[in-house]
Amino acid sequence: MKQKMIVLLALFLGLDSVCAAQSNPVGSVGPQPAAPESSSASVATPHWEQPQSPANPPALANPQTVQSSLDKLLAVCSAVQLTESEKGDLDTLTSGALNSDLRGSVVAFKKELHDFYVDCVGHQGDLKSDLRELRLAANVRTGTSMLNPGMNLIGLQSAYREAASQLDQVRPDKQVSGQPDSAGTTSLVSKNGGTAILALAVDSGALTSSVNGTATTISGNLEGLGSFLAGKSPISIDPTHRNKLWTIAGRVNVNATFELAQPSTQSTTSTQPATGTSPSAGTQVTIPSSVGKLTGITMQYAMRNPFNPHSATFQSNWEAMKKDLIKPSQDVLTGNDPLVNSLDCKACQTDWTIFQTKLQKGIADKNPKEVADVFDAYTAQVIADAKSADKNFNAKVVAAAKATKLYQDTVSKAVDSAVGNLFTLEYDFAKPASQPESHTFKFAYGNVPSGQTGIRSILSGGSGAKSLFTANLGINIYGGAIPTSAKYGRLHYGQASAEFDRPITLVSSSVPAVFSLAGYWQYQPTASVLNINQSDVAPGTTIDAPTQVLVGTAGSLWVTQAKITLGKGKSGVTVPIGVKWSNKTELLTGNKIGGQVGISYDFSSLSNLFGGGN
């Protein structure tokens, strides 16, 4: 999380103790802050050189003046006209101007400035909401957006939401790709967890299958989907507000895989000749009915998963930390926070009106740098006026910084405690092309090593994951009736597989990534079964169609895969890229080398839009 307001105040006031509070554990900060009643002389001398008592302070604005300045600013935004070229380059040019600006105020509020300017001149978004995010005393009665814009802290339930959301961003156990025997997949091993709500993945390239194609996998959690339909987010649901049915539903993940290279067909006799007299009316023909085909369904039941914020492990850790959160969560609530009240002084309110007025020129000139200049001047003036109105302002900054640091450290402990063993039971139904349907029963084990470092630093960047070891054991059996004369039995194969995932940082990019190494072993007592028709054999060959043949060889199938997965974190987007070697496939003999690539999106990253604030 970004402590935007605290960092900004530290930069302007030059309070070494504030900076230390943001980078050192509570208790290790050098000088302790003065009590709120003490004089501001007891804290570090500020480096900022703006006058603390302006010679000619601005007149206090009345509500009508404030509304007038807002209306005029919105009118200026509406009047801006962009060319097609300017529209296309708007986001890039705005980001470039703000990224190159190293002033503390601009760095701390870069995203808010970007969103306001783009929405204003581009005529999109909620301008009033964007503008409110730039006000240093915003939401003074309802939340601590001052200390951490975007944080919705309303006591312990909000702290739970914050920890659960952080945990969902770093968990490495989500299975969103298709199964290893799919025609398109990037997963050689089944992970123990799944998405909290809904995920969509598109993968190309086979691992164990002889059919090399593209598949789409839709994944969902039963509780997450139910909560979505009810207008709530499962990530933000307090565990004490869930009944047994919801608890069970939260442990169940369901995946459906559609192979796009397998068009479905159906027959019809509603025909008549279009040219000549042949074929006769009523001739049966086959027509395509869809461009994709459902080829697999997976159901997982999580027996133990510390990454699930509703699990007994997470709840136990959370209960142990609750007592440590009571005071800091109360301290950072804006309604009781004297720091934010100081930033809402009467002169500060006038500063806000003047800021809206001065913004109009930068908007009219279509110049994001001018907007940043006005914002920097506004923050300097507000802090000067707050210091002038409250002699204990510096001490309150230090106290607020420590309260926020303590709160965030305690919440992060819940994330860091998500280590240990994961156990999952899995069932897969598969209906591959030209092969009998099959059923796989699998046990998945995972382990997250303890004692890892850097998790909180990864979180502050909004991305990353923990290392994870995963192993699978399973058997696959043929479904349906087995012919009496069959030369194969009900058992298709047994398999064992393992994978190790390690988060990495690419040298030339800030994009987070995970490097994976996986191995897979499959043993089948007989060759694989293939369903064939008369059209599948060479001309002149007559068979009793439809029938079955054994293809390939019995014995062991070995597969190894190296993979790098780009993305994750708050964006929800991942791009896995892998390469595999196998000694054969399920139908063909001979060594095989191939690549896999995919893209997935986890809708859990939008959980706050699904009623996450309820």
Side-chain angles (χ1 to χ4, degrees), residues 126 171 317 335 492:
D126 185 349
R171 58 185 298 181
N317 293 331
H492 184 194

Side-chain angles (χ1 to χ4, degrees), residues 265-278:
T265 60
Q266 66 182 45
S267 300
T268 180
T269 56
S270 300
T271 62
Q272 55 183 330
T275 59
T277 59
S278 179

Side-chain angles (χ1 to χ4, degrees), residues 10 12-17 40-48 52 387 394:
F12 272 98
L13 300 178
L15 296 178
D16 297 335
S17 53
S40 60
S42 61
V43 298
T45 302
H47 301 302
W48 183 55
Q52 297 191 29
K387 284 166 56 63
N394 288 4

Side-chain angles (χ1 to χ4, degrees), residues 172-173 189-193 307 420-423 443-450 452 466-473 496-503 514-519:
D173 65 319
V189 177
S190 294
K191 299 291 183 63
N192 291 81
F307 286 105
N421 298 320
L422 297 77
F423 303 104
F443 172 75
Y445 165 78
N447 180 267
V448 182
S450 60
Q452 297 185 61
K466 292 188 176 185
S467 296
L468 175 68
F469 172 78
T470 308
N472 293 172
L473 285 174
S497 57
E499 179 175 318
F500 182 74
D501 304 300
R502 176 71 178 177
V514 176
F515 178 73
S516 306
L517 283 176

Side-chain angles (χ1 to χ4, degrees), residues 559-608:
V559 186
T560 59
Q561 182 195 40
K563 178 175 64 177
I564 186 168
T565 303
L566 307 176
K568 191 62 175 71
K570 295 179 181 179
S571 70
V573 178
T574 57
V575 179
I577 304 172
V579 60
K580 68 101 176 189
W581 169 90
S582 65
N583 66 330
K584 65 173 187 174
T585 64
E586 92 280 27
L587 297 178
L588 301 174
T589 60
N591 295 342
K592 304 293 180 183
I593 297 177
Q596 305 82 45
V597 65
I599 185 170
S600 67
Y601 184 76
D602 187 351
F603 289 89
S604 301
S605 60
L606 302 179
S607 60
N608 288 336

Side-chain angles (χ1 to χ4, degrees), residues 446-462:
N447 180 267
V448 182
S450 60
Q452 297 185 61
T453 60
I455 298 302
R456 282 178 234 175
S457 63
I458 291 174
L459 275 174
S460 65

